[in-house]
Amino acid sequence: METEQLSAAEARRQADDLARLLDTANAPIFGIDVRGQVNEWNQKTAATLGWSKVEACGRDLVETFIAPEYRKDVKEVLDMALLGRESANF
């Protein structure tokens, strides 16, 4: 039982460390769920785009944050990535 508690505590610490690293990274980092809705948004992304994490989360990434002329191509790349398929860099 004690080993399990230590493992759980260590896992929480590692998750917290990773979250802090991502949030304070000097590059925009965001995440989307399988529906293409924003579920992660670091401080640099917020500063770059002017949307807070609270404002961005739950919104459709492509429809909200991608210029209309690029939406189709970006959506195709994201759809392929969500299926585990590699695509050329966009």
Side-chain angles (χ1 to χ4, degrees), residues 14-57:
Q14 288 177 356
D16 290 344
D17 288 350
L18 180 58
R20 194 170 25 265
L21 176 68
L22 292 176
D23 196 44
T24 59
N26 196 26
I29 300 172
F30 59 87
I32 59 170
D33 64 18
V34 296
R35 296 173 298 163
Q37 293 183 335
V38 175
N39 61 9
E40 189 54 61
W41 197 258
N42 76 348
Q43 292 176 21
K44 191 66 167 183
T45 305
T48 301
L49 296 179
W51 289 67
S52 72
K53 183 174 183 172
V54 169
E55 293 170 319
C57 282

Side-chain angles (χ1 to χ4, degrees), residues 64-77:
T64 306
F65 300 103
I66 304 300
E69 62 269 23
Y70 298 113
R71 287 180 185 157
K72 180 179 178 282
D73 292 334
V74 171
K75 177 131 178 55
E76 287 175 7
V77 169

